[in-house]
């Protein structure tokens, strides 16, 4: 949605302002274009908010078309305005908050920019410029030529945030067979992530922390990412430390599966399996929640194929009857981060127990970790 407004400034510096709204394509950043119409003191303003990497110069108005004169009586030519774009980093690509102060400029002429609302201007070079210093930014850009002709002023705004947040604090607790890592110290609107491979890859988490059940993982790294996309220093937690009591061999009995603690939105089932050593683990989906995803997030084995199946039950008594399984199939390196319930109807993913069966049918040991993610629903 764009908000179009007309601001009129008369010779006595009195300002009148009117608004109207209509639909237009999302633009990514807060974009305003100022049109100085000769000596009339008429200022037209356009505001557009939306997606990332927009070209600010695409905004249009009811003023004179680009490349025509605003003041024909003086013979001054108004040049075509430049187009601007930037990368809106972070958790949202439409909030104008970024850790990257680089702006790309596309112009048919030379161009200049101002960071103090036109008091001073800096001649641009190349096809970009960079703003520095954290905080809100208002940037004016216009085209110019050697004859002194200028374009309309394109005004863009963003909030630059390049400071990494503080590390999260992690508190470990045990509830039955579930070992939970509660995450605290998040900035407003920040999100936490975890890594299982020494910070090489990161997985987003939700809820108050990460629940783990199994005996396959040893180290977990946790960090937060702020709204601009800055990541904190990672905190490492050793699941295998002496006396930590963070390891549990998942049940091999399908009628008595190991059970995850309740109240968690992000859970990890992990272990080491070989032929004849199946793992059975149950979790419960509470009221007003549903299963969002089941993903293989770690797989270490020379055997690239293992087997999994999920049954909507507090036990796994389906045996090999696939008609009683919610989903089943092979899992291996090619399936990393694939949501195996993505095509299951939402009504089958709601409140109630679920049990997973994971097994390696070959003789080679397989280390695995499967992420279970829940989400609240209306």
């Amino acid at each position: 949605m764009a908000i179009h407004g007309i601001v009129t400034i008369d010779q006595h510096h009195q300002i009148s302002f009117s608004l109207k709204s209509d639909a237009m394509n999302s633009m990514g950043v807060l974009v305003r274009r100022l049109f100085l119409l000769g000596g009339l003191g008429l200022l037209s303003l356009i505001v557009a908010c939306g997606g990332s990497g927009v070209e600010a110069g695409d905004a249009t108005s009811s003023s004179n078309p680009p490349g025509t004169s605003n003041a024909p009586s003086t013979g001054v030519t108004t040049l075509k305005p430049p187009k601007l774009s930037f990368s809106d980093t972070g958790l949202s690509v439409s909030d104008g908050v970024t850790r990257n102060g680089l702006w790309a400029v596309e112009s048919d002429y030379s161009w200049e920019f101002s960071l103090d609302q036109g008091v001073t201007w800096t001649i641009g070079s190349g096809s970009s410029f960079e703003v520095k210093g954290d905080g809100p930014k208002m940037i004016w850009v216009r085209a110019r030529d050697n004859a002194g002709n200028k374009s309309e002023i394109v005004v863009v705004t963003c909030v630059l945030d390049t400071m990494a947040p503080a590390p999260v604090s992690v508190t470990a607790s045990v509830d039955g067979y579930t070992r939970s890592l509660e995450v605290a110290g998040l900035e407003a609107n920040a999100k936490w992530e975890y890594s299982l491979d020494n910070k090489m890859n990161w997985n987003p988490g939700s809820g108050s922390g990460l629940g783990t059940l199994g005996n396959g993982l040893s180290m977990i790294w946790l960090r937060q990412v702020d709204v601009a996309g800055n990541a904190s220093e990672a905190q490492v937690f050793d699941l295998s430390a002496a006396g930590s009591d963070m390891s549990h061999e998942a049940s091999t009995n399908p009628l008595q599966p190991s059970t995850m603690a309740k109240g968690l939105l992000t859970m990890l089932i992990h272990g080491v399996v070989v032929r004849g050593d199946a793992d059975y683990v149950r979790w419960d989906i509470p009221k007003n929640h549903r299963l969002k995803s089941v993903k293989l997030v770690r797989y270490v084995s020379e055997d690239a194929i293992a087997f999994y199946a999920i049954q909507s039950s507090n036990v796994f008594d389906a045996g090999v009857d696939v008609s009683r399984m919610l989903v089943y199939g092979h899992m291996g390196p090619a399936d990393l981060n694939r949501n195996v319930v993505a095509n299951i109807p939402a009504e089958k993913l709601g409140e109630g127990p679920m049990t997973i069966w994971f097994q390696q049918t070959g003789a080679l040991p397989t280390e695995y970790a499967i992420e279970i993610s829940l989400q609240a629903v209306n």
Side-chain angles (χ1 to χ4, degrees):
M1 175 65 71
I3 303 173
H4 293 248
I6 301 296
V7 179
T8 304
I9 307 176
D10 64 21
Q11 64 269 29
H12 301 296
H13 304 289
Q14 299 296 310
I15 299 175
S16 60
F17 179 60
S18 61
L19 283 175
K20 64 178 182 178
S21 64
D22 62 352
M24 67 179 293
N25 292 333
S26 62
M27 298 290 293
V29 291
L30 188 61
V31 182
R32 301 184 183 89
R33 183 178 293 172
L34 307 179
F35 299 94
L36 304 179
L37 304 184
L40 300 178
L42 180 64
L43 182 70
S44 297
L45 174 68
I46 289 184
V47 180
C49 303
S52 83
V54 337
E55 294 182 344
D58 284 344
T60 58
S61 77
S62 58
S63 67
N64 296 332
T68 63
S69 173
N70 280 338
S73 61
T74 63
V76 176
T77 299
T78 300
L79 306 178
K80 180 182 177 180
K83 293 182 179 181
L84 276 73
S85 61
F86 86 122
S87 178
D88 190 342
T89 64
L91 304 179
S92 168
V93 294
S94 62
D95 60 2
V97 180
T98 181
R99 66 178 185 277
N100 185 354
L102 190 67
W103 284 82
V105 182
E106 181 182 341
S107 179
D108 295 337
Y109 310 93
S110 299
W111 54 275
E112 58 187 0
F113 66 94
S114 173
L115 302 179
D116 54 12
Q117 300 182 47
V119 176
T120 59
W121 291 87
T122 301
I123 301 297
S125 62
S127 59
S128 64
F129 65 96
E130 185 175 8
V131 294
K132 298 181 179 181
D134 286 9
K137 306 294 179 184
M138 178 178 287
I139 307 159
W140 293 17
V141 183
R142 67 187 179 190
R144 56 174 294 156
D145 62 16
N146 293 333
N149 298 309
K150 298 178 178 64
S151 73
E152 301 154 353
I153 297 173
V154 177
V155 178
V156 291
T157 67
C158 68
V159 176
L160 186 61
D161 179 2
T162 61
M163 184 176 296
V168 296
S169 62
V170 181
T171 303
S173 62
V174 178
D175 183 354
Y177 296 129
T178 304
R179 278 61 182 170
S180 297
L181 303 177
E182 184 176 350
V183 179
L186 296 178
E187 287 189 357
N189 301 316
K191 302 295 183 181
W192 62 269
E193 301 177 328
Y194 71 91
S195 172
L196 305 178
D197 55 7
N198 197 17
K199 302 176 287 187
M200 292 180 60
N201 297 285
W202 292 91
N203 303 296
S206 61
S208 60
L210 179 65
T212 68
L213 188 154
N215 64 340
L217 295 174
S218 58
M219 310 290 282
I220 294 180
W221 290 261
L222 294 146
R223 72 179 186 183
Q224 67 169 311
V225 178
D226 66 19
V227 293
N230 300 299
S232 72
E233 182 180 336
Q235 298 287 83
V236 62
F237 196 91
D238 188 354
L239 296 178
S240 61
S244 67
D245 194 29
M246 299 294 285
S247 179
H248 166 71
E249 171 72 37
S251 174
T252 60
N253 186 345
L255 301 181
Q256 294 180 327
S258 300
T259 303
M260 273 280 189
K262 298 180 180 180
L264 296 162
L265 296 184
T266 307
M267 297 164 276
L268 283 178
I269 299 168
H270 59 101
V272 181
V273 291
V274 293
R275 179 186 297 160
D277 176 26
D279 284 353
Y280 294 91
V281 179
R282 163 190 164 181
W283 67 90
D284 291 275
I285 303 171
K287 184 178 181 179
N288 297 324
H289 287 72
R290 74 174 180 88
L291 182 62
K292 178 182 178 182
S293 62
V294 177
K295 298 179 181 179
L296 181 70
V297 292
R298 176 176 167 83
Y299 192 95
V300 180
S301 178
E302 294 182 21
D303 189 335
I305 299 176
F307 175 81
Y308 80 96
I310 300 173
Q311 183 179 356
S312 298
S313 173
N314 58 2
V315 297
F316 199 99
D317 59 1
V320 294
D321 184 356
V322 296
S323 67
R324 299 180 60 197
M325 300 175 189
L326 178 71
V327 63
Y328 66 94
H330 290 131
M331 272 189 175
D335 301 297
L336 286 169
N337 294 308
R338 178 174 68 90
N339 182 8
V340 300
V341 297
N343 297 321
I344 303 299
E347 60 269 20
K348 294 185 177 182
L349 302 176
E351 179 182 3
M354 288 194 177
T355 301
I356 190 169
W357 166 23
F358 190 86
Q359 184 167 347
Q360 174 57 265
T361 58
L364 297 174
T366 297
E367 298 179 20
Y368 75 93
I370 295 173
E371 178 197 88
I372 310 298
S373 180
L374 309 183
Q375 68 178 172
V377 294
N378 295 329

